[in-house]
Amino acid sequence: MAQSKSNKRDVSGWLILNKPYDMTSTQAVGKVRWLFGAKKAGHAGTLDPLATGILPIALGEATKTVSAIQDGEKLYRFAIKWGEETTTDDTEGEVVERSNMRPDAEAIRAMLPAFTGEVMQTPPAFSAIKVDGERAYDLARAGEEVILAARPVYIASLTLLEHSGDISRLEMTCEKGTYVRALARDLARALGTRGHVVELHRAAVGPFTDLKAITIEELEAAADRDALLLPIAAGLGEFPELRMSADQAAAIRHGNPVLLVGANAPIAIDLAWASLAGVPVAMGRVEFGQFKPQRVFV
């Protein structure tokens, strides 16, 4: 049964969901929002329906930090099946090319450095990238030819975890915008074969990892769901914290900049957060020794 607007409540914090297989990120956010009866919710980084793992879901005031979390590093563990390339670069699509070539572990390890660091990557046709205002996957499913331009992405590390003939399991740490499916496709081609992703798990997004993840079943069964929420500050640990006085915090809450004083006061910071007694007041930047709020927390 749908909840009326009057039944929605102000609740803020992060729910680190271990998204189940065959559920879209939008469906996951809707489910969590309904279970909490929250007025506002969003997620920090889309996860494919066929993938599992970390989907950080922000409720209430935490939604103001989503863009910062999305820019954080991601950790993926995935499996590639060699010998078949599909339309979607995963198990959802149809096989379009086959190869009898199967790389061995030595060949795979030797190729990984070529896919580490800044590399050019062409996103899968079945992706959420917009083409003339339409999602690429909607155009591809409608039978239209989708041509996406290659773009630079950054892969911090790429490691072979296990290899057994047709299947290899790898681990990748990367920055925003990197597609595991595209990496699998390109790695297979570079090895003289074809390949697609058959398993995909996201183990970390920024500061959030599997250690704090909650399943849908655990959330549904919880007697006190609010106790499962992490505070807004849990998503801000990778950014500098600027501790404010009560007067400074009051000025910031009205959208005003404040002068930072003290021998160690920073002169310039691209992104930082102001706090009062450990509670986030605002996110913003430091320019010429002043903290300038950009997103103020209620």
Side-chain angles (χ1 to χ4, degrees):
M1 181 183 295
Q3 295 171 334
S4 67
K5 289 185 178 179
S6 61
N7 290 333
K8 298 293 179 68
R9 64 192 182 105
D10 290 312
V11 55
S12 295
W14 284 99
L15 191 284
I16 313 308
L17 183 71
N18 183 355
K19 189 192 79 66
Y21 181 86
D22 207 19
M23 174 182 278
T24 69
S25 297
T26 300
Q27 289 171 335
V29 171
K31 179 73 170 180
V32 170
R33 183 181 181 185
W34 183 83
L35 287 170
F36 280 93
K39 288 183 178 179
K40 190 189 302 184
H43 67 74
T46 301
L47 197 57
D48 289 344
L50 302 187
T52 63
I54 298 298
L55 183 67
I57 297 179
L59 300 179
E61 290 294 287
T63 58
K64 295 176 180 178
T65 68
V66 161
S67 60
I69 303 304
Q70 284 179 327
D71 289 340
E73 231 176 29
K74 317 290 192 302
L75 174 64
Y76 293 96
R77 298 189 182 101
F78 58 100
I80 301 174
K81 180 179 180 181
W82 307 109
E84 295 178 342
E85 185 171 307
T86 70
T87 53
T88 58
D89 300 314
D90 62 15
T91 58
E92 190 176 26
E94 298 178 0
V95 176
V96 289
E97 289 193 56
R98 287 185 168 85
S99 171
N100 292 324
M101 165 65 179
R102 299 293 184 271
D104 59 25
E106 183 178 354
I108 295 168
R109 289 193 182 95
M111 186 61 69
L112 297 185
F115 290 86
T116 305
E118 184 172 280
V119 297
M120 295 300 293
Q121 186 182 80
T122 301
F126 286 79
S127 64
I129 292 173
K130 286 191 175 182
V131 179
D132 297 328
E134 300 288 337
R135 297 291 185 185
Y137 55 64
D138 288 331
L139 297 173
R141 284 172 182 148
E144 295 189 32
E145 183 181 12
V146 177
I147 300 176
L148 299 175
R151 57 186 186 174
V153 298
Y154 187 80
I155 298 175
S157 65
L158 185 59
T159 306
L160 178 64
L161 301 177
E162 182 183 339
H163 176 72
S164 57
D166 284 349
I167 303 288
S168 295
R169 287 180 169 80
L170 297 92
E171 180 176 275
M172 177 173 73
T173 303
C174 60
E175 292 186 355
K176 177 183 177 182
T178 307
Y179 281 88
V180 175
R181 289 177 290 138
L183 179 280
R185 175 200 66 209
D186 295 344
L187 177 61
R189 290 177 180 178
L191 288 165
T193 184
R194 294 293 183 264
H196 66 278
V197 171
V198 291
E199 294 174 17
L200 176 58
H201 179 82
R202 187 159 67 188
V205 176
F208 301 130
T209 70
D210 278 336
L211 295 176
K212 296 288 185 179
I214 304 294
T215 66
I216 288 288
E217 292 75 18
E218 290 170 333
L219 185 59
E220 289 176 325
D224 182 5
R225 294 187 182 118
D226 285 7
L228 300 177
L229 289 177
L230 299 179
I232 296 171
L236 301 176
E238 297 184 347
F239 305 100
E241 177 185 1
L242 305 174
R243 299 178 181 180
M244 301 294 172
S245 67
D247 288 343
Q248 287 175 314
I252 290 170
R253 287 193 172 108
H254 285 92
N256 298 315
V258 296
L259 181 65
L260 304 176
V261 297
N264 298 318
I267 301 299
I269 302 176
D270 285 339
L271 185 60
W273 59 289
S275 67
L276 176 63
V279 177
V281 176
M283 295 185 69
R285 58 190 300 126
V286 178
E287 294 179 347
F288 303 107
Q290 282 190 325
F291 176 78
K292 297 184 176 181
Q294 295 172 315
R295 290 183 176 270
V296 178
F297 302 111
V298 177

